[in-house]
Amino acid sequence: MTRRDRSSLLPLLLLVSLLLAPIWSGCATMGATDASSGKAKNVILLIGDGMGPSHFGAAWLYSNRVLKKDLQMVQVMNAGRTAYLVNDTADAIVTESAAAAGQIATGRKMTARAISMAADGKTPVTTVMEMVKVKGLGTGLVTTSGITDATPAAFAAHVPHRSDEASVAEQELKLGVDVLMGGRKQFFLPEVSAGKRKDGRNLLDEARAAGYAVVGDAEALKAAQGGKILGLFNMGNMVYEIDRKATMEPSLAEMTAKTLDVLSRNPKGFFAMIEGGRIDHAAHRNDAAGTILDTLAFDEAVGVAREFARKNPDTLVIVTADHETAGMALIGHSKDSKEYIGIDLAAVQKVTASFEVIAEDLGKSPTPQKVQQVVKEYLGIQITEDEAKTVANDTIRKLDPANYSYPYLHSLAFVLRPYLRVGWGSQTHTASPLWAFGMGPGSARLTGLLHNTQLFDIMKTAME
Ligand SMILES: [Zn+2]
């Protein structure tokens, strides 16, 4: 066939494809009926804070190759739809959790650090949670970070700056969110009770008076009765999954299970936002093992939501992230590899503590010997004297303090690159594209490229 013949066929091919297009799209729509279109009684939104493609990829590798099981997130992807997701804001290319969560919660572009406020900084924008609350549905917010931190706050509060967590605590209770679980109890307590409230109020007492079961550890959470729970498990953030073993703090999956159990008693349905809040914190510190284990803990919570949705098919489950944190990269080479070998999962498995714990042990000005000893103790890796000096001199942070701000940890992560084969572009958030995937009624719209503001309408429309 000559080039001319082929080009003369083009209009015909175009015509045929145009005629067939409704049939193709009809097939796609048919496939999407019952399971993924229609109305949802319940919506469970799960946000992996900072969970970008490599955070997910590292957790997927670790789960399949070390734990010998697939991720729950993959099961949700396979049962439903997946969209690419972008997340720029009204005033920035790189977002942070307040603007990102605010955009998901309200459908409007937000400015940095404001909690669900219009660009004027003083006009509250109604959130999806407030909308369903008015209709009498159940509501829940759960995180491993602070319950007053930006992501949960953006669904139930309105303050000009995310740092005003004392006001966020007050507003979350005032809205009457049925289930609130996470850390940062300090914003519910007055200064006389070791809290950070300057107004002298004890919000735990106020919550009890308003009918909440107030609990502080895993056992009490299990035993908690009633339709309203305030679970605050740490004065600060809840501990990283890698450090959690010995504590009395519940896992994110346990908190999720309890939340769904309580909220599903509401005959009208519910909206719950579940956040893996510390994936972001571990990534900020360039902590590979901490990032992976917190992503896996988030994945278990996704599994709880997925199981609930299988038993209650009128439930829309959406899994997404607010932004990518730290430009995590699964790099190729060890010191002497000739071919790409990738992340050392066995080395990750041997790590026994988060970089937060390691930083505490390193102290203010560690000697190279101290660095070697600490790395050996927590990672089982014998770094060289030169490498230890790079950490002790904090070389990486000195080169680019704006993008690497945690003392010693970025230099440590750089030194560990050929051992763990995990690299980091910064300590900051990045503009990396993400995904939103989900299953259940309304999930048919999770395709193509979405802006995170569109998730609001997908959830709202599904629940109307
Ligand atoms: Zn962050």
Side-chain angles (χ1 to χ4, degrees):
M1 199 184 279
T2 65
R3 179 176 292 195
R4 195 194 184 110
D5 290 337
R6 275 202 298 269
S7 62
S8 67
L9 273 177
L10 269 176
L12 180 64
L13 285 172
L14 201 63
L15 183 66
V16 170
S17 58
L18 277 173
L19 288 170
L20 287 175
I23 299 171
W24 296 136
S25 64
C27 290
T29 316
M30 267 161 54
T33 50
D34 58 309
S36 60
S37 56
K39 296 298 169 193
K41 181 180 171 190
N42 315 305
V43 171
I44 308 170
L45 170 67
L46 298 113
I47 299 178
D49 197 313
M51 186 182 70
S54 291
H55 308 62
F56 171 87
W60 177 78
L61 286 165
Y62 193 92
S63 190
N64 278 279
R65 292 179 179 234
V66 177
L67 306 177
K68 308 290 181 198
K69 60 178 186 183
D70 206 358
L71 290 179
Q72 291 294 324
M73 287 190 276
V74 172
Q75 305 297 325
V76 174
M77 284 178 182
N78 290 343
R81 300 290 167 91
T82 302
Y84 258 87
L85 192 82
V86 288
N87 59 356
D88 63 322
T89 71
D91 63 346
I93 287 169
V94 174
T95 189
E96 45 72 62
S97 295
Q103 293 188 172
I104 295 170
T106 69
R108 290 258 294 271
K109 279 200 172 180
M110 294 278 152
T111 53
R113 314 284 164 189
I115 299 289
S116 290
M117 288 289 218
D120 64 6
K122 51 188 180 194
T123 311
V125 184
T126 308
T127 72
V128 65
M129 179 169 277
E130 290 165 330
M131 288 173 185
V132 302
K133 184 81 195 162
V134 169
K135 292 184 186 166
L137 278 75
T139 49
L141 292 170
V142 179
T143 183
T144 46
S145 173
I147 193 61
T148 51
D149 201 0
T151 306
F155 288 84
H158 305 273
V159 290
H161 198 283
R162 57 183 283 175
S163 60
D164 185 6
E165 295 186 54
S167 294
V168 170
E170 209 176 303
Q171 291 184 28
E172 287 174 342
L173 288 173
K174 195 174 169 203
L175 180 64
V177 182
D178 300 303
V179 176
L180 292 161
M181 290 188 204
R184 303 197 194 170
K185 184 156 69 175
Q186 60 196 357
F187 294 106
F188 291 76
L189 290 171
E191 287 176 322
V192 288
S193 309
K196 288 206 167 167
R197 296 197 68 83
K198 296 198 186 304
D199 57 10
R201 286 170 67 180
N202 184 323
L203 296 189
L204 301 189
D205 289 344
E206 293 182 24
R208 280 188 201 98
Y212 282 88
V214 178
V215 297
D217 60 52
E219 284 308 309
L221 176 62
K222 259 186 218 153
Q225 302 287 330
K228 280 173 134 28
I229 297 181
L230 173 61
L232 295 166
F233 305 103
N234 200 310
M235 288 298 263
N237 296 316
M238 291 180 71
V239 296
Y240 288 102
E241 183 64 18
I242 199 169
D243 301 327
R244 193 174 63 86
K245 294 156 274 194
T247 77
M248 296 292 289
E249 295 185 10
S251 69
L252 184 59
E254 287 165 350
M255 293 194 286
T256 303
K258 186 74 178 189
T259 300
L260 301 184
D261 180 37
V262 169
L263 295 183
S264 60
R265 293 177 211 155
N266 188 320
K268 291 184 174 173
F270 66 84
F271 173 86
M273 192 289 297
I274 315 287
E275 184 197 29
R278 305 216 73 196
I279 301 167
D280 170 71
H281 298 176
H284 274 298
R285 289 166 177 79
N286 296 175
D287 174 0
T291 299
I292 291 169
L293 289 198
D294 262 74
T295 306
L296 290 170
F298 175 70
D299 189 65
E300 280 183 34
V302 172
V304 172
R306 173 177 165 257
E307 193 51 36
F308 181 89
R310 281 196 336 174
K311 290 183 185 149
N312 302 273
D314 49 1
T315 303
L316 169 62
V317 174
I318 296 180
V319 185
T320 191
D322 50 356
H323 51 72
E324 196 272 357
T325 299
M328 186 185 192
L330 306 182
I331 57 176
H333 284 301
S334 69
K335 284 184 182 179
D336 51 9
S337 61
K338 302 280 183 288
E339 258 309 335
Y340 291 143
I341 52 172
I343 182 171
D344 187 341
L345 299 167
V348 170
Q349 196 181 9
K350 285 190 193 128
V351 182
T352 57
S354 68
F355 268 29
E356 200 169 72
V357 169
I358 288 171
E360 267 169 42
D361 203 343
L362 282 173
K364 282 219 177 328
S365 41
T367 61
Q369 292 72 30
K370 173 75 178 173
V371 172
Q372 277 183 311
Q373 174 237 309
V374 167
V375 173
K376 182 81 184 155
E377 184 181 339
Y378 294 104
L379 290 103
I381 292 171
Q382 184 62 57
I383 59 170
T384 67
E385 211 178 311
D386 275 351
E387 288 165 344
K389 278 181 191 160
T390 302
V391 179
N393 293 333
D394 210 357
T395 310
I396 299 302
R397 187 165 69 110
K398 282 177 188 158
L399 286 171
D400 184 6
N403 285 301
Y404 291 106
S405 58
Y406 288 96
Y408 308 112
L409 295 182
H410 307 295
S411 302
L412 173 61
F414 192 87
V415 158
L416 290 173
R417 281 161 63 101
Y419 297 96
L420 299 180
R421 274 90 76 180
V422 176
W424 302 91
S426 74
Q427 75 87 16
T428 70
H429 300 168
T430 74
S432 164
L434 310 158
W435 323 264
F437 51 92
M439 58 190 275
S443 64
R445 288 175 67 193
L446 297 169
T447 59
L449 180 80
L450 297 176
H451 191 271
N452 65 357
T453 47
Q454 291 173 275
L455 294 178
F456 164 79
D457 190 59
I458 291 173
M459 297 186 291
K460 180 174 142 283
T461 308
M463 295 190 92
E464 269 166 359

